[in-house]
């Protein structure tokens, strides 16, 4: 059994790979930024004393966490169409990823917020801070700090999961790979190349999140604590 | 002048447990009142009711002119006027000492940068911690952390300070430095309601002592009352038979 690796034809397609990488990075970056915001807001919503708000946020999270990402992407894509809105494949893919990541982020962030000592929240109330001020100044940073590794892993998973958007025709790295392999007839080499690119992307994402952590969590930086 | 704290026949249950059972007493402006009593006698619940961390079921509670027993009381104003320090220091771990103390003035009182800095530093000077401005709570001893917590309350420039067993988590040496700060505050004219196990401190610093038992004010008197208890319960509490 011997297989002759032949990467030359595949690597010749580097401009296409580059295009795919760009789209994957754009999709992932938008999804992470806005998915994080959605997750943060729904976490606060789930912890709210207002029953309908807490319930709606909970229902959203459960619905997303119990359905496949691919199905969510189809629902968003065909949903926009059914509503008569003309949106690009890219917009639909981004929206679906944001909705998906928002739900997972919500649960992670909520766990962090729940772990904040009640005494600290009480102390903040006694300093005449409002609920939102308490979230902003007392809960947010320590809560994110506690769950930061889990959050970073979830974001890296999102980068990888974004490959599913190729199913609705987004020209991401995975979609590009499928084109390259059908032109070069070098499927194995093509997907090995793509796998290596994903590994590099994941690794770069981790480094980026680590750097963001250093900037945001001033205390860790100052005291030289590792995550 | 009317008392700065008026507590009149206050009742509070937790489920079926009667915790406050008709508490009544007044505190005048500038007075220092120590509250003693067995664990479970309702001291913390009474103290927490004063700035409405607990809602009372019945009775009248007026603090700095705010009718705390009225459900529509302005909590923001109440909490600006009443500071509280807890047994567990409850500092914000992600903020430096300076930031912990500045949070109230800057965010709740909406003061500018310069004024916030001035007030924070004045508050930290009162607890002798000016040299620790830029360290984090975890880098401080328990006594220092508790003094930061006191400064954090002082930076709100409250009219009344509440203390709930603030030295119970500290060893005797650190207890001393915290009690010292509280004694300075008392001499400076602050109105204080102090739940404590430190009998010597109560006798020396307080204008009067309240002995709580079964959710009521059982005895109230000057420091000397500890040497001459009128009730069996206080006699047992101070360890005399
Ligand atoms: N949030 C609460 N829920 C239920 N029971 C409570 C609560 N807080 C206090 N208690 C009970 O009320 C009683 C009085 O408590 P507390 O006011 O803390 O007394 P003290 O401070 O004098 O030790 C205790 O039996 C305590 O267990
Ligand atoms: Mg207590």
């Amino acid at each position: 059994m011997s297989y002759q690796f032949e990467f030359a034809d595949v690597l010749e397609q580097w401009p296409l790979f580059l295009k795919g990488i760009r789209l994957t990075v754009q999709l992932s970056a938008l999804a992470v930024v806005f998915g994080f915001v959605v997750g943060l807001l729904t976490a606060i919503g789930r912890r709210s004393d207002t029953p309908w708000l807490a319930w709606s946020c909970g229902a959203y999270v459960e619905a997303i966490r119990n359905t496949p990402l691919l199905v969510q992407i189809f629902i968003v894509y065909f949903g926009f169409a059914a509503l008569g809105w003309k949106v690009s494949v890219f917009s639909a893919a981004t929206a679906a990823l944001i909705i998906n990541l928002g739900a997972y982020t919500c649960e992670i962030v909520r766990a962090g917020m729940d772990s904040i000592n009640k005494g600290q929240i009480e102390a903040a109330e006694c300093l005449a801070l409002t609920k939102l001020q308490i979230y902003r100044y007392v809960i947010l940073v320590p809560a994110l700090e506690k769950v930061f590794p889990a959050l970073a892993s979830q974001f890296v998973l999102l980068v990888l999961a974004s490959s599913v958007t190729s199913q609705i025709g987004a020209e991401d790295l995975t979609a590009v790979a499928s084109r390259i392999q059908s032109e070069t007839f070098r499927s194995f080499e093509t997907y090995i190349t793509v796998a290596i690119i994903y590994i590099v992307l994941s690794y770069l994402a981790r480094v980026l999140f680590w750097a963001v952590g250093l900037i945001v969590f001033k205390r860790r930086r100052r005291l030289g604590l590792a995550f | 002048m009317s008392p700065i704290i008026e507590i009149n026949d206050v009742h509070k249950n937790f489920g079926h447990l009667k915790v406050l059972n008709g508490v009544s007493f007044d505190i005048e402006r500038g007075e220092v009142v120590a509250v003693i009593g067995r664990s479970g006698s309702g001291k913390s619940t009474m103290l927490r009711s004063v700035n409405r961390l607990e809602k009372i079921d019945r009775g009248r509670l007026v603090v700095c002119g705010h009718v705390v027993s009225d459900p529509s009381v302005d909590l923001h104003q109440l909490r600006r006027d009443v500071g509280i320090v807890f047994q567990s220091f409850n500092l914000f771990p992600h903020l430096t000492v300076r930031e912990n103390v500045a949070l109230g003035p800057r965010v709740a009182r909406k003061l500018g940068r310069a004024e916030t800095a001035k007030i924070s530093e004045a508050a930290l000077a009162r607890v002798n911690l000016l040299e620790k401005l830029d360290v984090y709570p975890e880098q401080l001893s328990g006594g220092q952390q508790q003094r930061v917590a006191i400064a954090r309350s002082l930076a709100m420039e409250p009219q009344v300070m509440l203390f709930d067993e603030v030295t119970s988590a500290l060893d005797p040496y650190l207890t001393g430095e915290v009690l010292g700060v509280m004694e300075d505050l008392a001499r400076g004219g602050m109105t204080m309601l102090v739940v404590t196990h430190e009998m010597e401190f109560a006798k020396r610093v307080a204008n009067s002592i309240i002995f709580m038992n079964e959710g009521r004010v059982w005895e109230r008197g000057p420091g000397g009352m500890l040497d001459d208890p009128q009730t069996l319960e206080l006699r047992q509490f101070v360890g005399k038979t």
Side-chain angles (χ1 to χ4, degrees):
Chain A
M1 203 179 79
S2 73
Y3 181 85
Q4 284 301 115
F5 280 102
E6 184 52 65
F7 276 99
D9 290 351
V10 171
L11 295 181
E12 220 164 67
Q13 302 288 335
W14 65 267
L16 256 183
F17 277 120
L18 220 54
K19 240 182 85 188
I21 292 173
R22 222 176 76 200
L23 200 104
T24 290
V25 168
Q26 279 174 347
L27 262 178
S28 309
L30 285 171
V32 165
V33 170
F34 290 103
F36 172 68
V37 173
V38 169
L40 196 60
L41 295 178
T42 39
I44 294 174
R46 268 201 104 163
R47 287 164 46 90
S48 140
D49 300 328
T50 315
W52 68 263
L53 182 60
W55 188 89
S56 327
C57 293
Y60 154 67
V61 169
E62 288 308 313
I64 296 300
R65 298 210 314 164
N66 292 293
T67 48
L69 173 58
L70 184 56
V71 171
Q72 295 162 17
I73 290 175
F74 282 139
I75 289 179
V76 171
Y77 183 56
F78 294 119
F80 277 134
L83 289 172
W85 295 348
K86 275 189 82 75
V87 298
S88 64
V89 163
F90 180 78
S91 306
T94 311
L97 290 179
I98 290 172
I99 292 169
N100 179 268
L101 184 62
Y104 287 95
T105 304
C106 170
E107 285 310 87
I108 296 173
V109 170
R110 188 169 70 116
M113 289 174 165
D114 286 348
S115 77
I116 300 299
N117 187 324
K118 300 284 166 292
Q120 284 163 25
I121 294 172
E122 220 164 53
E125 286 171 1
C126 293
L127 292 174
L129 267 62
T130 63
K131 271 204 166 111
L132 277 182
Q133 288 172 336
I134 293 175
Y135 268 113
R136 175 160 167 212
Y137 296 104
V138 176
I139 298 180
L140 188 61
V141 171
L144 292 180
E145 191 177 325
K146 284 212 169 82
V147 297
F148 194 66
L151 215 48
S153 294
Q154 192 66 51
F155 294 165
V156 169
L157 273 178
L158 182 281
V159 176
L160 304 180
S162 73
S163 67
V164 177
T165 61
S166 60
Q167 294 291 319
I168 57 168
E171 287 279 283
D172 78 326
L173 185 53
T174 304
V176 154
S178 127
R179 247 174 73 189
I180 293 173
Q181 60 108 13
S182 65
E183 277 167 29
T184 59
F185 305 108
R186 285 284 169 191
S187 310
F188 193 31
E189 287 85 346
T190 304
Y191 283 107
I192 284 182
T193 309
V194 163
I196 291 170
I197 296 175
Y198 272 116
I199 290 172
V200 172
L201 284 180
S202 301
Y203 186 77
L204 289 177
R206 279 192 191 282
V207 171
L208 181 71
F209 295 134
W210 173 78
V212 168
L214 278 190
I215 292 167
V216 174
F217 306 121
K218 204 175 95 203
R219 183 187 63 100
R220 283 193 175 270
R221 185 174 72 234
R222 288 259 306 274
L223 300 185
L225 302 171
F227 275 108
Chain B
M1 225 169 70
S2 59
I4 193 165
I5 297 180
E6 293 177 59
I7 301 181
N8 202 337
D9 196 28
V10 164
H11 292 255
K12 165 88 187 169
N13 292 6
F14 285 116
H16 292 297
L17 183 69
K18 267 191 174 356
V19 178
L20 299 182
N21 194 13
V23 175
S24 301
F25 65 87
D26 291 348
I27 297 182
E28 302 297 328
R29 193 172 284 276
E31 216 180 348
V32 176
V33 175
V35 180
I36 59 174
R38 277 192 305 109
S39 142
S41 58
K43 306 179 298 293
S44 295
T45 306
M46 181 275 291
L47 200 75
R48 291 164 57 83
S49 301
V50 169
N51 77 342
R52 211 156 177 276
L53 284 173
E54 304 288 354
K55 280 183 205 162
I56 62 171
D57 299 335
R58 193 146 70 75
R60 189 173 156 82
L61 195 58
V62 184
V63 180
C64 304
H66 309 293
V67 184
V68 179
S69 44
D70 179 346
S72 63
V73 63
D74 182 347
L75 272 186
H76 183 80
Q77 281 304 325
L78 174 69
R79 300 227 165 120
R80 282 187 53 167
D81 288 340
V82 180
I84 184 164
V85 184
F86 305 92
Q87 174 179 340
S88 51
F89 327 121
N90 296 336
L91 295 177
F92 308 126
H94 62 300
L95 301 179
T96 63
V97 165
R98 181 205 298 273
E99 290 164 345
N100 263 279
V101 176
L103 191 63
R106 187 163 63 83
V107 175
R109 297 174 65 194
K110 300 195 163 35
L111 300 178
R113 230 169 244 287
E115 202 170 352
T116 296
K118 204 181 86 193
I119 289 173
S120 311
E121 284 174 27
L124 282 164
R126 283 177 88 171
V127 301
N128 308 317
L129 273 176
L130 265 186
E131 78 280 8
K132 297 286 185 189
L133 283 176
D134 293 310
V135 306
Y136 286 91
E138 69 197 270
Q139 298 171 284
L140 297 173
S141 74
Q144 290 170 328
Q145 290 189 43
Q146 193 57 293
R147 286 189 282 146
V148 174
I150 294 174
R152 183 175 65 178
S153 277
L154 287 177
M156 294 298 284
E157 303 190 315
Q159 302 190 37
V160 176
M161 286 281 284
L162 311 175
F163 296 86
D164 192 2
E165 297 192 22
V166 296
T167 57
S168 296
L170 303 175
D171 63 42
Y173 179 72
L174 299 177
T175 295
E177 66 184 46
V178 172
L179 293 180
V181 163
M182 290 166 66
E183 192 163 350
D184 289 345
L185 266 184
R187 296 204 193 297
M190 178 64 79
T191 307
M192 293 164 55
L193 184 54
V194 186
V195 174
T196 185
H197 286 309
E198 301 290 333
M199 295 304 153
E200 284 312 309
F201 175 82
K203 269 195 217 177
R204 191 175 66 246
V205 179
N207 304 102
S208 71
I209 297 178
I210 286 173
F211 171 59
M212 275 187 74
N213 193 42
E214 293 176 5
R216 287 201 190 118
V217 175
W218 212 255
E219 272 193 50
R220 179 174 183 174
M225 88 173 188
L226 296 184
D227 302 320
D228 181 25
Q230 300 300 302
T231 57
L232 175 64
E233 290 76 10
L234 180 54
R235 198 171 311 142
Q236 282 170 344
F237 182 74
V238 298
K240 288 186 181 163
T241 45

